[in-house]
Amino acid sequence: MLLLALAVILTLCVLALMGMPIIVALASSVIVFLMVSGGWELSLPQQVLSGISDYVLITLPLFILAGGIMNASGIADRLFDLAAAIFGWMRGGLAHVDIAVSVMFGGMIGTSVADLAGSASVIIPKMKKNGYPGPFAAALSATSSGIGILIPPSSPMILYSAVTGTSLGALFLAGLVPGLVLAATLMLTVAILARKNGWKPMQGFAWHEVMRTGKRALLPMGLPGLILGGLVFGILTPSEAGAFAVAYALILSMAVYKTLTFRDLRTVLVEATVLTGEVMLVVGFSVALGWALSEARVPVALADLMQTVFPFQSTVPQIMLMLLLALIAGMVLDPLIPMIMPILLPSLMALDIDLVHFGVLMVVTVVIGQVTPPVALALIVAARIGKEDVIATFRANTPFLIAMFLFLLLLIFVPSIATWLPNLVM
């Protein structure tokens, strides 16, 4: 059976590397399993329907729609002005502002590529105009956009919750502090590069400017706080939180700021529908793949392998091995979590690993995978937005990639960074 599992995984990887749509690759790999094992053909649609029936997934299209509305309404300019007022006095101020905008903007959108679409088109031209190398500007925007999927709301965490059954409120809380620590890590990296390259501050610090820009950005910044508070204190269920986010975004964009027209809204609805359909199909076929590999006893073999290679009481080596597997998969597969978690979940439960802590580690692994060649989706998108060479952007991202690996190791060895807030509040 393990040889059959290897054939299934090989089918998936080959088709993905050939550029086939990931849904086709997933479905084909499950079909290979059914044909060779003689399984019941209707198992495939049954597993797909089972995968997309989790009620937590109702929140996904709602948060995608809310993020699309905020993205199309020009909120990024208000957040940029606030970030410039707070961080613009630092050496390499514009680069620090890029990171701060990703923290603010990503906290409302919850997907890194959407964060890129909303903020990178503003910040990359500004950085190039102010003397920053174009590949560096694109690399920084791509990497900092990953902060957005740690700061709630977060689409990967919604998917993780649906696959593992972990509390979505606990996951949102667990991602908050690591997201801020990751932002600080990237800012430290920028500070070192700024001193080395002689990058200047963009403006002086003035409290009155912070207050002025803070008032303009107050309402947009309230969205993630209201959602998180509603989930944590039991005021809102996950689906209600998603609906509240859509209503809040609509009122803010169309009634308060009046920057979103009905034509823009129609475009946002179409894009959100298409993206939701794609993600849901990937989730369904990923669950089917996880079922096929479970039938082939892959989780049992993986757990036995980890116990053989690392026969210690500590679970840290096993966690690092599973994250390494996820990172390798994340270099070529997107989205990663619904595809890899059905395989890893039985091993996690057998080893009694904290699923909230591992959820944050998996999201950070997703962030790293999006800026790691050969695929590096976020880097490619940022390079296209900035009209820069992709290879040069890959090279410029090296310091940030090293910083994120060190950050991941810190999270592995100090789990309380992720777990203390949900333990305190919930």
Side-chain angles (χ1 to χ4, degrees):
M1 291 295 283
L2 290 179
L3 289 176
L4 174 57
L6 182 61
V8 170
I9 296 172
L10 187 62
T11 301
L12 174 64
C13 293
V14 169
L15 291 176
L17 291 173
M18 288 174 59
M20 296 291 290
I22 195 64
I23 297 172
V24 175
L26 285 166
S28 300
S29 60
V30 179
I31 290 171
V32 167
F33 170 81
L34 293 174
M35 291 177 62
V36 176
S37 66
W40 191 35
E41 291 81 358
L42 287 180
S43 297
L44 175 57
Q46 285 179 345
Q47 293 299 322
V48 171
L49 290 174
S50 174
I52 62 177
S53 62
D54 194 300
Y55 80 96
V56 174
L57 289 175
I58 297 174
T59 63
L60 189 63
L62 294 172
F63 279 123
I64 288 174
L65 177 57
I69 293 170
M70 298 293 278
N71 189 18
S73 60
I75 299 296
D77 292 336
R78 294 173 179 267
L79 301 179
F80 178 86
D81 292 341
L82 175 60
I86 298 174
F87 298 102
W89 60 273
M90 302 171 68
R91 188 188 294 268
L94 196 53
H96 290 292
V97 169
D98 188 347
I99 297 170
V101 169
S102 291
V103 173
M104 300 173 186
F105 207 60
M108 289 179 285
I109 292 182
T111 61
S112 58
V113 175
D115 175 19
L116 268 176
S119 62
S121 57
V122 176
I123 196 74
I124 293 178
K126 286 181 180 291
M127 292 184 69
K128 292 167 68 174
K129 185 177 180 180
N130 283 271
Y132 292 85
F136 168 81
L140 177 60
S141 292
T143 301
S144 65
S145 69
I147 301 171
I149 61 175
L150 280 167
I151 305 290
S154 165
S155 294
M157 286 187 176
I158 294 172
L159 295 175
Y160 182 90
S161 174
V163 173
T164 65
T166 310
S167 165
L168 184 58
L171 287 170
F172 278 1
L173 281 171
L176 185 58
V177 174
L180 297 176
V181 174
L182 177 57
T185 303
L186 296 181
M187 283 187 169
L188 178 61
T189 307
V190 166
I192 296 171
L193 294 174
R195 184 169 294 276
K196 177 182 177 181
N197 294 286
W199 296 332
K200 303 296 183 183
M202 63 181 297
Q203 63 188 48
F205 182 84
W207 276 111
H208 68 85
E209 188 64 15
V210 174
M211 296 300 293
R212 184 187 70 83
T213 56
K215 289 179 181 178
R216 295 183 69 244
L218 182 61
L219 290 177
M221 290 290 292
L223 178 59
L226 291 170
I227 292 171
L228 186 58
L231 286 171
V232 169
F233 295 108
I235 301 171
L236 300 172
T237 65
S239 57
E240 290 170 346
F244 173 81
V246 173
Y248 188 98
L250 279 173
I251 294 171
L252 197 63
S253 302
M254 302 190 75
V256 179
Y257 297 144
K258 299 180 180 178
T259 53
L260 186 74
T261 65
F262 282 101
R263 178 176 294 180
D264 296 331
L265 179 60
R266 178 184 179 277
T267 302
V268 170
L269 288 169
V270 171
E271 292 176 351
T273 302
V274 172
L275 180 57
T276 299
E278 292 174 352
V279 174
M280 294 293 278
L281 282 174
V282 169
V283 170
F285 282 106
S286 297
V287 170
L289 175 62
W291 165 81
L293 295 177
S294 295
E295 290 291 306
R297 299 183 60 79
V298 168
V300 175
L302 181 60
D304 292 342
L305 174 64
M306 288 188 292
Q307 292 288 358
T308 302
V309 177
F310 302 109
F312 315 115
Q313 292 297 322
S314 173
T315 58
V316 170
Q318 286 92 340
I319 289 175
M320 295 180 70
L321 178 59
M322 284 188 281
L323 290 178
L324 177 61
L325 294 174
L327 182 61
I328 294 171
M331 293 179 185
V332 294
L333 301 177
D334 184 65
L336 171 64
I337 285 178
M339 285 186 276
I340 197 72
M341 282 312 302
I343 302 172
L344 299 181
L345 183 59
S347 299
L348 290 170
M349 299 183 71
L351 295 169
D352 197 27
I353 293 173
D354 186 340
L355 291 181
V356 173
H357 176 221
F358 194 81
V360 175
L361 295 176
M362 274 300 303
V363 173
V364 175
T365 302
V366 170
V367 174
I368 295 175
Q370 289 182 339
V371 292
T372 304
V375 177
L377 177 63
L379 282 177
I380 292 173
V381 172
R384 288 176 179 171
I385 292 174
K387 299 178 181 178
E388 297 294 332
D389 179 69
V390 174
I391 303 301
T393 304
F394 284 178
R395 288 198 296 266
N397 192 57
T398 302
F400 300 115
L401 196 57
I402 294 172
M404 285 196 295
F405 273 114
L406 294 175
F407 170 70
L408 180 60
L409 289 175
L410 176 66
L411 276 180
I412 292 173
F413 287 100
V414 190
S416 58
I417 296 174
T419 58
W420 80 270
L421 186 57
N423 289 339
L424 176 68
V425 176
M426 303 191 71

